[in-house]
Amino acid sequence: MAPTGSRTGRPTLAVVGATGAVGTVMLQILSQHADIWGEIRLIASPRSAGRKLAVRGEEVEVVALSEEAFDGVHVAMFDVPDDVSAQWAPIAAAKGAVVVDNSGAFRMDPDVPLVVPEINPHAARVRPRGIISNPNCTTLSMIVALGALHAEFGLRELVVSSYQAVSGAGRAGVDTLRRQMSLVAGTELGTSPGDVRRAVGDQTGPFPEPVALNVVPWAGSLAEDGWSSEEMKVRNESRKILGLPNLKVAVTCVRVPVVTTHSLTVHARFQDEVTVAKAREILATAPGVVLFDNPAAGEFPTPADVVGTDPTWVGRVRRALDDSTALELFVCGDNLRKGAALNTAQIAELVAAEIIGA
Ligand SMILES: NC(=O)c1ccc[n+]([C@@H]2O[C@H](COP(=O)([O-])OP(=O)(O)OC[C@H]3O[C@@H](n4cnc5c(N)ncnc54)[C@H](OP(=O)(O)O)[C@@H]3O)[C@@H](O)[C@H]2O)c1
């Protein structure tokens, strides 16, 4: 660990929402990545002010969110709810910080780039509002693999089903699953209608239904015509990141009793004919992707093995039986790492390189 003094002259980083599900993983990532930052300032709500959290092997005191908290900050990561980002990201930007925002507040703003460093790193340089958005975790859990395939075959259509972990709904999601699991563990529940619901009670946390011993075909809030907000995000954000405004996208988002790591089945249709051999070659060499696909040996990614890792894992690669231009994939990605904190850290590192090189 370099002594603090040697960090003089390096950019100052603020982590807003340092105490949350994403913020906690962010502090781990900042401790694991190359130590490019000067001061790292930890910010959360007044509830957390004074708490001490470890980053880069040092204890750092959390300060409450305020205008002064951004004094001297070069890059500010926002890992807070949408309304908090909507209010405070422009304030941080007005004080001179480049904001990298993990919330949904600015993702579809035409003046805010939506960046995945493996796909569109150049977009991070054009930020008229001083804000760069990080895509939502469901999109991010698949998009690096799809971007690599798109570059070769030309993507035309996506049909996606997600199997989303409860930590996608933050600390409250994880607390809810753990509480419900303790109530159903060791019982014979799950054999008659409503027995799980009666056991876990009305407190279903951020989910509309019990999530233990269950799957829930819903994530986010109600959008138009029966779609969920999460499903609309996957469609709109995939289009924006890939620069394909007319990409056909159909998504069904489903919550499953997994703590962390989203999984997705993907039917991807391309402009050109595809072969499994070429698709495997692309996925095996794409940065940020691991091909793990040997069903004969029982090898395919699952959240239990992928959690805590950085890459997008792809398995079950098949050509569609009835369409020689389409591939079927099973994709897993840690929603708190590449799905949130890691992608944000990568964007912030791009900005830091710009600042240091300027
Ligand atoms: N979870 C995921 O997989 C995921 C993935 C991609 C993006 N995101 C997005 O990332 C953001 C954070 O998500 P999360 O899952 O980490 O949520 P979380 O676990 O609920 O944490 C929320 C964080 O925001 C802080 N906060 C809340 N209200 C605040 C306020 N008024 N002022 C200052 N700080 C405030 C909290 O501080 P206190 O501890 O002091 O309350 C906490 O640090 C959200 O916009 C979410 O949509 C999440």
Coordinates of all heavy atoms in Angstrom, one line a residue, residues 88-138:
W88 N -28.8 15.5 -7.0 CA -27.5 15.9 -6.6 C -26.4 15.7 -7.7 O -25.4 16.4 -7.6 CB -27.1 15.0 -5.4 CG -27.8 15.5 -4.1 CD1 -29.0 15.1 -3.6 CD2 -27.4 16.6 -3.3 NE1 -29.3 15.8 -2.5 CE2 -28.3 16.7 -2.3 CE3 -26.2 17.4 -3.2 CZ2 -28.2 17.6 -1.2 CZ3 -26.1 18.3 -2.2 CH2 -27.1 18.5 -1.2
A89 N -26.6 14.9 -8.7 CA -25.6 14.7 -9.7 C -25.4 16.1 -10.4 O -24.2 16.5 -10.6 CB -26.0 13.7 -10.7
P90 N -26.4 16.8 -10.8 CA -26.1 18.2 -11.4 C -25.4 19.1 -10.5 O -24.6 19.9 -11.0 CB -27.5 18.7 -11.8 CG -28.4 17.4 -11.8 CD -27.9 16.5 -10.8
I91 N -25.6 19.0 -9.2 CA -24.9 19.9 -8.2 C -23.4 19.5 -8.2 O -22.6 20.4 -8.3 CB -25.5 19.7 -6.8 CG1 -27.0 20.3 -6.8 CG2 -24.7 20.4 -5.8 CD1 -27.8 20.0 -5.6
A92 N -23.1 18.2 -8.2 CA -21.7 17.8 -8.2 C -21.1 18.2 -9.5 O -19.9 18.7 -9.6 CB -21.6 16.3 -8.1
A93 N -21.8 18.1 -10.7 CA -21.3 18.5 -12.0 C -21.0 20.0 -12.0 O -20.0 20.4 -12.5 CB -22.2 18.0 -13.1
A94 N -21.9 20.7 -11.4 CA -21.8 22.2 -11.4 C -20.6 22.6 -10.6 O -20.0 23.7 -10.8 CB -23.0 22.9 -10.9
K95 N -20.2 21.8 -9.6 CA -19.0 22.1 -8.8 C -17.7 21.6 -9.5 O -16.6 21.6 -8.9 CB -19.1 21.5 -7.4 CG -20.3 22.2 -6.6 CD -20.1 22.0 -5.2 CE -18.9 22.8 -4.7 NZ -18.9 22.9 -3.2
G96 N -17.9 21.0 -10.7 CA -16.6 20.7 -11.5 C -16.3 19.2 -11.5 O -15.4 18.8 -12.2
A97 N -17.1 18.4 -10.8 CA -16.8 16.9 -10.9 C -17.4 16.3 -12.1 O -18.5 16.8 -12.6 CB -17.4 16.2 -9.6
V98 N -16.8 15.3 -12.7 CA -17.4 14.4 -13.7 C -18.2 13.4 -12.9 O -17.6 12.7 -12.1 CB -16.4 13.8 -14.6 CG1 -17.1 12.8 -15.6 CG2 -15.6 14.8 -15.4
V99 N -19.5 13.3 -13.2 CA -20.3 12.3 -12.4 C -20.5 11.1 -13.2 O -20.7 11.1 -14.5 CB -21.7 12.9 -12.2 CG1 -22.7 11.9 -11.6 CG2 -21.6 14.2 -11.3
V100 N -20.3 9.9 -12.6 CA -20.6 8.6 -13.2 C -21.7 8.1 -12.4 O -21.6 7.7 -11.2 CB -19.4 7.7 -13.2 CG1 -19.7 6.4 -13.9 CG2 -18.1 8.3 -13.7
D101 N -22.9 8.0 -13.0 CA -24.1 7.8 -12.2 C -24.7 6.3 -12.5 O -24.9 6.0 -13.6 CB -25.2 8.8 -12.6 CG -26.5 8.6 -11.9 OD1 -26.4 8.2 -10.7 OD2 -27.6 8.7 -12.5
N102 N -24.9 5.6 -11.4 CA -25.4 4.2 -11.5 C -26.9 4.2 -11.5 O -27.5 3.1 -11.7 CB -24.9 3.5 -10.3 CG -24.2 2.2 -10.6 OD1 -24.8 1.5 -11.5 ND2 -23.1 1.9 -10.0
S103 N -27.6 5.3 -11.2 CA -29.0 5.2 -11.1 C -29.7 5.3 -12.5 O -29.0 5.5 -13.5 CB -29.5 6.4 -10.3 OG -29.6 7.6 -11.1
G104 N -31.0 5.2 -12.5 CA -31.7 5.4 -13.8 C -32.0 6.8 -14.2 O -32.7 7.0 -15.2
A105 N -31.6 7.8 -13.4 CA -32.1 9.1 -13.6 C -31.7 9.8 -14.9 O -32.5 10.6 -15.5 CB -31.5 10.0 -12.4
F106 N -30.6 9.4 -15.5 CA -30.1 10.2 -16.7 C -29.8 9.3 -17.9 O -29.4 9.7 -18.9 CB -28.8 10.9 -16.4 CG -28.9 11.9 -15.2 CD1 -28.5 11.5 -14.0 CD2 -29.5 13.1 -15.4 CE1 -28.6 12.4 -12.9 CE2 -29.7 14.0 -14.4 CZ -29.2 13.6 -13.1
R107 N -30.1 8.0 -17.8 CA -29.6 7.0 -18.8 C -30.1 7.3 -20.2 O -29.4 7.1 -21.2 CB -30.0 5.6 -18.4 CG -29.2 5.1 -17.2 CD -29.6 3.6 -17.0 NE -29.0 3.1 -15.7 CZ -29.6 2.4 -14.8 NH1 -30.9 2.1 -15.0 NH2 -29.1 2.0 -13.7
M108 N -31.4 7.8 -20.3 CA -31.9 8.0 -21.6 C -31.8 9.5 -22.1 O -32.4 9.9 -23.1 CB -33.4 7.5 -21.7 CG -33.5 6.0 -21.5 SD -32.2 5.0 -22.4 CE -32.7 5.4 -24.1
D109 N -31.2 10.3 -21.2 CA -31.0 11.7 -21.6 C -30.0 11.8 -22.8 O -28.9 11.2 -22.8 CB -30.4 12.5 -20.4 CG -30.2 14.0 -20.6 OD1 -29.9 14.3 -21.8 OD2 -30.4 14.7 -19.7
P110 N -30.5 12.4 -23.9 CA -29.6 12.4 -25.1 C -28.3 13.2 -24.9 O -27.3 12.9 -25.6 CB -30.4 13.2 -26.2 CG -31.6 13.7 -25.5 CD -31.7 13.1 -24.2
D111 N -28.2 14.0 -23.8 CA -26.9 14.7 -23.5 C -26.1 13.9 -22.4 O -25.2 14.5 -21.9 CB -27.2 16.1 -23.0 CG -27.7 17.0 -24.1 OD1 -27.3 16.7 -25.3 OD2 -28.5 17.9 -23.9
V112 N -26.5 12.7 -22.2 CA -25.7 11.9 -21.2 C -25.3 10.6 -21.9 O -26.2 9.8 -22.2 CB -26.6 11.6 -19.9 CG1 -25.8 10.7 -19.0 CG2 -26.9 12.9 -19.2
P113 N -24.0 10.3 -22.0 CA -23.6 9.1 -22.7 C -23.9 7.9 -21.7 O -23.8 8.0 -20.5 CB -22.1 9.2 -22.9 CG -21.7 10.3 -21.9 CD -22.9 11.2 -21.7
L114 N -24.2 6.7 -22.3 CA -24.5 5.5 -21.6 C -23.4 4.6 -22.0 O -23.3 4.1 -23.1 CB -25.8 5.0 -22.0 CG -26.4 3.7 -21.2 CD1 -26.6 4.1 -19.7 CD2 -27.7 3.3 -21.8
V115 N -22.5 4.3 -21.0 CA -21.2 3.7 -21.4 C -20.9 2.3 -20.9 O -21.1 2.0 -19.7 CB -20.0 4.7 -21.0 CG1 -18.6 4.1 -21.3 CG2 -20.2 6.0 -21.7
V116 N -20.4 1.5 -21.8 CA -19.9 0.2 -21.4 C -18.4 0.1 -22.0 O -18.3 0.1 -23.2 CB -20.7 -1.0 -22.0 CG1 -20.1 -2.3 -21.5 CG2 -22.1 -0.9 -21.5
P117 N -17.4 0.2 -21.2 CA -16.1 0.4 -21.8 C -15.6 -0.6 -22.8 O -14.9 -0.2 -23.7 CB -15.2 0.4 -20.5 CG -16.0 0.9 -19.4 CD -17.4 0.4 -19.7
E118 N -16.1 -1.8 -22.7 CA -15.7 -2.8 -23.8 C -16.4 -2.5 -25.1 O -16.0 -3.1 -26.1 CB -16.1 -4.2 -23.3 CG -15.4 -4.8 -22.2 CD -15.9 -4.4 -20.8 OE1 -16.8 -3.5 -20.8 OE2 -15.5 -5.0 -19.8
I119 N -17.5 -1.7 -25.1 CA -18.3 -1.5 -26.3 C -18.1 -0.1 -26.9 O -17.9 0.1 -28.0 CB -19.8 -1.8 -26.1 CG1 -19.9 -3.3 -25.6 CG2 -20.6 -1.5 -27.3 CD1 -21.4 -3.7 -25.3
N120 N -18.4 0.9 -26.0 CA -18.4 2.3 -26.5 C -17.6 3.3 -25.6 O -18.1 4.3 -25.2 CB -19.8 2.8 -26.7 CG -20.6 2.8 -25.4 OD1 -20.2 2.2 -24.4 ND2 -21.8 3.5 -25.4
P121 N -16.3 3.0 -25.4 CA -15.5 3.8 -24.4 C -15.4 5.3 -24.9 O -15.4 6.2 -24.1 CB -14.2 3.1 -24.4 CG -14.1 2.3 -25.7 CD -15.5 1.9 -26.0
H122 N -15.4 5.5 -26.2 CA -15.3 6.8 -26.8 C -16.4 7.7 -26.4 O -16.3 8.9 -26.3 CB -15.3 6.7 -28.3 CG -16.4 5.8 -28.9 ND1 -16.2 4.4 -28.9 CD2 -17.6 6.1 -29.3 CE1 -17.4 3.9 -29.4 NE2 -18.2 4.9 -29.6
A123 N -17.6 7.1 -26.1 CA -18.8 7.9 -25.7 C -18.6 8.7 -24.4 O -19.2 9.7 -24.2 CB -20.0 7.0 -25.6
A124 N -17.7 8.1 -23.6 CA -17.5 8.8 -22.3 C -16.9 10.2 -22.4 O -17.0 11.0 -21.5 CB -16.6 7.9 -21.4
R125 N -16.3 10.4 -23.5 CA -15.6 11.7 -23.7 C -16.5 12.9 -24.0 O -16.2 14.0 -23.9 CB -14.5 11.6 -24.8 CG -13.3 10.9 -24.3 CD -12.2 10.9 -25.4 NE -10.9 10.5 -24.8 CZ -10.0 11.3 -24.3 NH1 -10.1 12.6 -24.4 NH2 -8.9 10.8 -23.8
V126 N -17.7 12.5 -24.5 CA -18.7 13.5 -24.9 C -19.8 13.6 -23.9 O -20.7 12.7 -23.9 CB -19.3 13.2 -26.4 CG1 -20.2 14.3 -26.8 CG2 -18.2 12.9 -27.3
R127 N -19.7 14.5 -23.0 CA -20.7 14.5 -21.8 C -21.1 16.0 -21.6 O -20.6 16.6 -20.6 CB -20.0 13.9 -20.6 CG -18.5 14.3 -20.5 CD -17.9 13.7 -19.2 NE -16.6 14.3 -19.0 CZ -15.4 13.9 -19.3 NH1 -15.3 12.7 -19.8 NH2 -14.3 14.6 -19.1
P128 N -22.0 16.5 -22.4 CA -22.4 17.9 -22.3 C -22.8 18.3 -20.9 O -22.7 19.5 -20.5 CB -23.5 18.0 -23.3 CG -23.4 16.9 -24.2 CD -22.7 15.8 -23.4
R129 N -23.4 17.4 -20.1 CA -23.9 17.8 -18.8 C -22.9 17.4 -17.7 O -23.2 17.6 -16.5 CB -25.3 17.0 -18.5 CG -26.4 17.4 -19.4 CD -27.7 16.9 -19.0 NE -28.1 17.4 -17.7 CZ -29.2 17.0 -17.1 NH1 -30.1 16.2 -17.6 NH2 -29.6 17.6 -15.9
G130 N -21.8 16.9 -18.1 CA -20.8 16.5 -17.1 C -21.2 15.2 -16.4 O -20.6 14.9 -15.3
I131 N -22.1 14.5 -17.0 CA -22.6 13.3 -16.3 C -22.5 12.1 -17.4 O -22.8 12.3 -18.5 CB -24.1 13.4 -15.9 CG1 -24.3 14.6 -14.9 CG2 -24.6 12.1 -15.3 CD1 -25.7 14.9 -14.6
I132 N -22.0 11.0 -16.9 CA -22.0 9.8 -17.7 C -22.8 8.7 -16.9 O -22.7 8.6 -15.7 CB -20.5 9.2 -17.8 CG1 -19.6 10.2 -18.4 CG2 -20.5 7.9 -18.5 CD1 -18.1 9.9 -18.2
S133 N -23.7 8.0 -17.7 CA -24.5 7.0 -17.0 C -24.0 5.6 -17.2 O -23.4 5.3 -18.2 CB -26.0 7.1 -17.6 OG -26.8 8.0 -16.9
N134 N -24.3 4.9 -16.1 CA -23.9 3.4 -16.1 C -25.2 2.7 -16.4 O -26.3 3.0 -15.8 CB -23.5 3.1 -14.7 CG -22.7 1.8 -14.6 OD1 -21.7 1.6 -15.3 ND2 -23.2 0.9 -13.8
P135 N -25.2 1.7 -17.3 CA -26.5 1.0 -17.6 C -27.0 0.2 -16.4 O -26.3 0.0 -15.5 CB -26.1 0.1 -18.8 CG -24.8 0.6 -19.3 CD -24.1 1.3 -18.2
N136 N -28.3 -0.2 -16.5 CA -28.9 -1.0 -15.5 C -28.3 -2.4 -15.5 O -27.7 -2.9 -16.5 CB -30.4 -1.0 -15.6 CG -30.9 -2.1 -16.5 OD1 -31.1 -3.3 -16.1 ND2 -30.9 -1.8 -17.7
C137 N -28.4 -3.1 -14.3 CA -27.7 -4.3 -14.1 C -28.1 -5.4 -15.0 O -27.3 -6.3 -15.4 CB -27.8 -4.8 -12.6 SG -29.5 -4.8 -12.0
T138 N -29.4 -5.5 -15.4 CA -29.8 -6.6 -16.3 C -29.2 -6.4 -17.7 O -28.8 -7.4 -18.3 CB -31.4 -6.6 -16.3 OG1 -31.8 -6.4 -15.0 CG2 -31.9 -7.8 -16.9

